[in-house]
Amino acid sequence: MSMITERPASNPAGQHPARAAEGPVARRDVRAVLSAYVALTKPRIVELLLVTTIPAMMLAEGGLPSLWLMAIVLIGGSLAAGAASVLNCYIDRDIDQLMRRTKRRPLPAHTVSPRSALIFGLVLAAVSVALMAAFTNLLAAGLTLAAIAYYDLVYTLWLKRSTPTNTFWGGACGAAPVLIGWAAVTGSLAPAAWGLFAVVFFWQMPHFYPLAMKYKDDYARAGIPMLPVVASIRRVNAEILIFAWLTVLTSLAVWPLGLSAIYGVPTLVVGAIFVVEAHRLCRRATRGEAVKPMRLFHWSTTYLTIVFVAVALDALI
């Protein structure tokens, strides 16, 4: 009786089939892990923070700072922002798994272990502060350390879970890169630095409240007392409008502090659009109409970007 034997599939590399499959699978696993660690740093937030840092440095210098200094601040600032986000994910892992918006993050998805995330965040924080201390100055390094500690220990661990004013008090973290960039250049802080800090500080309420409106049920499910969860729509509208106006007025108050029409004119134009969009959202919410909160959320990002690009251009020209 004849026996037909099946020949194995051709393998040009001469490898055992199982071993041949290991390479692509291993590469996919490595990419997945690296992608998870990058996701923990919340790259989009890092990008937005850097948008405010470099223009502040340019205004402090009165032109273009040295490329070496900008590179150090960009790297140190990115690592610091990433560290704060990683530690935020570590602390918030219990509530992230309850929210639709965050349940796919690496920790609730079990892609990265809590211990690994904690070590990763602490290493990033240590490296960022060390870089700033070694290559800029102690004021910039101290502000970097303070921003990380405030965001994770004060805002994330305490304020976010205990008070509806958490966004307001947490605003100092998002505005800190302006001061850090300025301090890295001059070793001190001038009125213009504090003015730009105030712009970003006030901006965060009309920027974040629309996001909290969209994910109101998510925050309620996780027990997080964001303002749209615990307050009336009238109160939320009032704060959006108050802080939108404060953002624009503060941005215009910075104009006389060493800036020209190159900054002032575009800031005035986009500020007017920003306020109109805020009023439009609040008017629709008051009337009980379908609101599109993410429209203001996205426009607020565009607004801040244009304002700080105007700062950079003014410093260069």
Side-chain angles (χ1 to χ4, degrees):
M1 186 174 70
S2 65
M3 180 180 293
I4 300 174
T5 59
E6 183 174 294
R7 295 180 64 186
S10 62
N11 185 0
Q15 290 180 304
H16 188 280
R19 290 179 182 174
E22 285 176 4
V25 171
R27 285 195 293 272
R28 284 196 296 271
D29 288 344
V30 169
R31 284 198 297 268
V33 170
L34 290 176
S35 177
Y37 276 96
V38 170
L40 284 172
T41 66
K42 302 179 185 178
R44 289 184 181 179
I45 295 178
V46 173
E47 291 172 9
L48 188 59
L49 295 177
L50 296 180
V51 163
T52 64
T53 306
I54 295 302
M57 294 179 68
M58 294 171 67
L59 184 60
E61 181 71 28
L64 196 65
S66 73
L67 295 180
W68 167 254
L69 181 61
M70 287 197 297
I72 290 296
V73 174
L74 280 174
I75 294 170
S78 297
L79 293 176
S85 293
V86 173
L87 296 173
N88 167 269
C89 288
Y90 171 79
I91 295 167
D92 275 353
R93 65 192 186 280
D94 59 331
I95 60 175
D96 279 351
Q97 63 187 353
L98 302 175
M99 299 173 61
R100 291 192 186 96
R101 184 173 69 90
T102 58
K103 67 181 181 181
R104 289 189 176 87
R105 286 178 177 174
L107 286 175
H110 306 292
T111 310
V112 177
S113 71
R115 182 174 180 273
S116 296
L118 176 61
I119 293 172
F120 181 50
L122 292 175
V123 169
L124 288 181
V127 173
S128 67
V129 175
L131 274 176
M132 297 298 283
F135 298 107
T136 62
N137 54 66
L138 292 181
L139 177 59
L143 289 170
T144 301
L145 177 59
I148 297 171
Y150 187 91
Y151 181 71
D152 290 312
L153 300 180
V154 179
Y155 170 73
T156 303
L157 198 59
W158 175 37
L159 295 173
K160 182 176 179 179
R161 299 169 182 248
S162 62
T163 173
T165 61
N166 49 27
T167 304
F168 176 84
W169 294 112
C173 307
V178 172
L179 300 183
I180 293 169
W182 193 287
V185 172
T186 67
S188 62
L189 296 173
W194 288 108
L196 293 176
F197 171 89
V199 171
V200 184
F201 178 84
F202 291 134
W203 166 85
Q204 288 181 91
M205 273 60 74
H207 171 69
F208 188 77
Y209 286 154
L211 183 71
M213 291 171 70
K214 179 176 174 63
Y215 294 104
K216 176 180 175 179
D217 293 340
D218 251 6
Y219 284 115
R221 188 181 301 111
I224 302 301
M226 292 298 178
L227 190 69
V229 174
V230 301
S232 66
I233 191 64
R234 182 176 180 180
R235 166 77 182 278
V236 176
N237 286 349
E239 293 214 14
I240 288 175
L241 293 178
I242 288 170
F243 287 112
W245 276 102
L246 280 173
T247 302
V248 174
L249 292 175
T250 304
S251 70
L252 295 175
V254 175
W255 188 350
L257 301 177
L259 291 156
S260 71
I262 295 171
Y263 165 83
V265 172
T267 295
L268 182 60
V269 172
V270 295
I273 299 173
F274 184 38
V275 168
V276 167
E277 287 294 337
H279 277 273
R280 180 178 296 170
L281 170 64
C282 294
R283 184 168 58 250
R284 293 178 67 89
T286 300
R287 293 174 178 173
E289 299 173 1
V291 297
K292 298 179 180 179
M294 297 306 286
R295 179 185 173 101
L296 179 59
F297 174 83
H298 291 303
W299 172 250
S300 66
T301 302
T302 302
Y303 163 81
L304 193 71
T305 301
I306 292 173
V307 168
F308 275 86
V309 168
V311 171
L313 290 175
D314 199 307
L316 282 176
I317 298 174

